[in-house]
Amino acid sequence: MKVIFENFVGLDDIRTTRKPIYVEDGIITKAFDKDSSTKVVDCKGLFLIPAFTDLHTHFRDPGFTYKEDLESGSRAALKGGFTSVNLMANTKPPVSTRAIYEDIMSRGKELDLIDIRQVYTITKDFDGKTLDHLDDLPDGVRFLSDDGHGVNDDYTMYKAMVKAKSLDLKMTLHEEVKGLSNEDYELAEDLMTLRDCYLSYKLNYPIHLSHVSTKGSIGAIRYFKDLGAPITCEITPHHLSFSDRKDLRVNPPIRSQEDRQALIKAIKDGYVDAIATDHAPHTEDEKRAGMPGFIGLETAFSSSYMALVKPGHISINKLIYLMSTSPSKILGIKKGRLEQGYLADFILVDLDKVYTYRKEEIVSKSKNSLLIGKDLTGSIEYVYRRGVLKYENNR
């Protein structure tokens, strides 16, 4: 199939162009002559940018599909402009076996909505010690994580990193010292971050640090990155948008204004590699009972745009780098650039449009958003995956 995208606004800093973009069989290609079968997409003067990639997502499937499932999560992702997600393994049962992994991947492919990558557990069933399940990995596994738990035993984590390096696997890490978080959650995050950054440095092993939230943790990341450690990290939109809110239950917690400013400065200084949602669906009853986490796929772009671009902290181009170009590279997929040979995953955005985020319009099964009833800026109007329209605003 041949498609031509024309009449859009480009963002030159990420090598986009106002000239038409030519797509053949889902891939950006060189110009070709139109024929009767060629489809032409009029982009109506909207901004055309690469689709987003989320390195940290929870779809709750299998085991908790009353909160979210592969289809509802995929549709929520599309509404937010994401065509690729990296799903965490804390399902029920956890993704520690070939059968569970292959079932998720098969069903996701059959849906044909977005591209799904599934993370595998570091320790079997999150037991904190067993690594034998890594000897029989299914094809396609690229990331390991005990997200929601963390690996608390130092020797187990050392062995896991050595093993993962030999298998050419990366880790995406939840940094929290068990038990200590009940006393001092800031210290709990900082201590494990220091440990894993040091192990990454000593072993020359690539790690990705999830939902970094403290001044101390981002300071450790700066230090070890400067030493040459192969570390990448992400920050969530809610840790960039809120501070000093004890009433917002999430792990890691919403931090102080000093922490939030340290995160923003690290973004400006180039030490942060991605913005990731940590999309965490829960029911209203679960939230009332204190379950941590919020959904974020549908609002990640608008909330990040308002927290970072509108105040002048970074450019729109840098935001696209953090939400598309860099996370796509970390995930190892050929997305995130509007260049020949890259997949034709695009978003058409109205950067000036202000809209109200309404509960009845949420696509996710869960409605536990921090932004219901809020006016947001930057509306995603259309989403294309491999040149095919997958989402049109509120349709």
Side-chain angles (χ1 to χ4, degrees):
M1 182 179 71
K2 293 183 178 180
V3 188
I4 302 174
F5 290 80
E6 60 184 21
N7 191 27
F8 58 86
V9 178
L11 300 166
D12 294 337
D13 289 354
I14 54 166
R15 300 184 187 179
T16 69
T17 174
R18 285 183 170 85
K19 296 179 180 178
I21 293 178
Y22 294 82
V23 174
E24 187 169 5
D25 297 329
I27 298 173
I28 301 172
T29 188
K30 60 185 179 181
F32 50 73
D33 293 330
K34 286 191 288 188
D35 57 34
S36 59
S37 65
T38 302
K39 180 178 180 180
V40 178
V41 176
D42 181 356
C43 298
K44 304 175 184 178
L46 297 169
F47 282 89
L48 187 149
I49 61 179
F52 305 136
T53 291
D54 190 5
L55 293 173
H56 193 122
T57 319
H58 300 269
F59 278 1
R60 309 301 193 198
D61 190 344
F64 304 101
T65 53
Y66 63 92
K67 306 186 192 193
E68 196 81 284
D69 57 39
L70 291 183
E71 181 173 358
S72 65
S74 295
R75 294 192 184 281
L78 285 172
K79 184 173 182 177
F82 293 90
T83 61
S84 297
V85 296
N86 201 33
L87 299 183
M88 295 300 109
N90 55 339
T91 52
K92 186 178 181 180
V95 186
S96 294
T97 67
R98 178 184 292 269
I100 296 168
Y101 176 90
E102 291 178 345
D103 172 64
I104 293 168
M105 295 300 293
S106 175
R107 289 188 291 116
K109 187 175 182 180
E110 185 177 344
L111 282 170
D112 193 30
L113 292 170
I114 62 173
D115 293 312
I116 287 174
R117 290 290 182 92
Q118 177 60 60
V119 175
Y120 218 67
T121 63
I122 297 173
T123 64
K124 185 172 177 60
D125 296 331
F126 297 126
D127 69 1
K129 57 185 178 181
T130 305
L131 304 175
D132 294 349
H133 66 304
L134 301 181
D135 294 328
D136 184 33
L137 287 172
D139 293 337
V141 173
R142 294 292 178 267
F143 272 88
L144 305 175
S145 181
D146 275 13
D147 184 70
H149 300 264
V151 178
N152 276 265
D153 183 76
D154 296 340
Y155 184 49
T156 298
M157 182 51 112
Y158 168 78
K159 291 191 296 180
M161 285 194 183
V162 170
K163 192 178 192 74
K165 184 177 181 180
S166 72
L167 296 170
D168 195 26
L169 299 172
K170 292 182 180 180
M171 289 183 183
T172 176
L173 300 175
H174 177 109
E175 303 295 57
E176 176 187 355
V177 177
K178 185 178 180 181
L180 184 56
S181 54
N182 295 325
E183 302 293 329
D184 187 333
Y185 207 140
E186 181 179 0
L187 184 58
E189 179 178 337
D190 291 351
L191 278 178
M192 193 171 280
T193 299
L194 280 166
R195 181 199 72 179
D196 290 340
C197 284
Y198 183 71
L199 284 172
S200 170
Y201 169 67
K202 291 296 288 184
L203 297 173
N204 192 31
Y205 169 69
I207 61 172
H208 178 77
L209 298 173
S210 299
H211 43 55
V212 178
S213 71
T214 70
K215 181 180 179 179
S217 288
I218 202 65
I221 292 165
R222 282 174 173 266
Y223 177 80
F224 282 100
K225 277 195 167 194
D226 285 344
L227 286 180
I231 296 168
T232 57
C233 70
E234 70 190 37
I235 297 174
T236 72
H238 48 271
H239 286 110
L240 293 169
S241 301
F242 297 92
S243 60
D244 297 310
R245 291 285 302 273
K246 302 296 185 184
D247 58 317
L248 303 180
R249 183 80 171 91
V250 62
N251 287 346
I254 299 298
R255 303 297 190 178
S256 69
Q257 176 68 356
E258 183 180 10
D259 290 310
R260 189 176 79 89
Q261 291 300 326
L263 299 179
I264 291 173
K265 189 174 190 308
I267 289 174
K268 294 168 70 172
D269 292 345
Y271 285 92
V272 176
D273 304 276
I275 290 174
T277 69
D278 194 10
H279 177 81
H282 297 298
T283 67
E284 291 183 7
D285 286 343
E286 287 171 335
K287 284 303 295 180
R288 280 192 289 268
M291 190 74 75
F294 302 99
I295 59 171
L297 281 167
E298 298 174 43
T299 57
F301 174 73
S302 291
S303 57
S304 299
Y305 181 65
M306 293 170 67
L308 295 171
V309 179
K310 295 291 282 185
H313 297 306
I314 62 173
S315 68
I316 181 64
N317 310 84
K318 181 63 178 287
L319 180 59
I320 294 164
Y321 172 82
L322 291 168
M323 294 189 70
S324 180
T325 312
S326 180
S328 295
K329 183 178 180 180
I330 291 168
L331 200 56
I333 55 179
K334 203 152 189 184
K335 297 187 183 184
R337 290 191 179 275
L338 305 180
E339 298 178 5
Q340 188 173 328
Y342 279 72
L343 291 171
D345 285 28
F346 309 142
I347 312 167
L348 295 178
V349 182
D350 186 339
L351 289 178
D352 298 320
K353 183 175 179 179
V354 178
Y355 65 98
T356 304
Y357 187 55
R358 304 182 191 280
K359 184 176 182 179
E360 60 269 23
E361 295 173 355
I362 293 176
V363 175
S364 171
K365 280 187 178 182
S366 296
K367 315 303 176 188
N368 57 314
S369 169
L370 289 168
L371 300 174
I372 293 173
K374 304 294 185 183
D375 288 338
L376 305 177
T377 303
S379 176
I380 294 166
E381 299 296 309
Y382 302 91
V383 180
Y384 291 84
R385 174 171 167 259
R386 288 161 173 69
V388 177
L389 180 64
K390 291 292 184 178
Y391 170 80
E392 183 177 353
N393 190 11
N394 288 326
R395 292 186 62 182

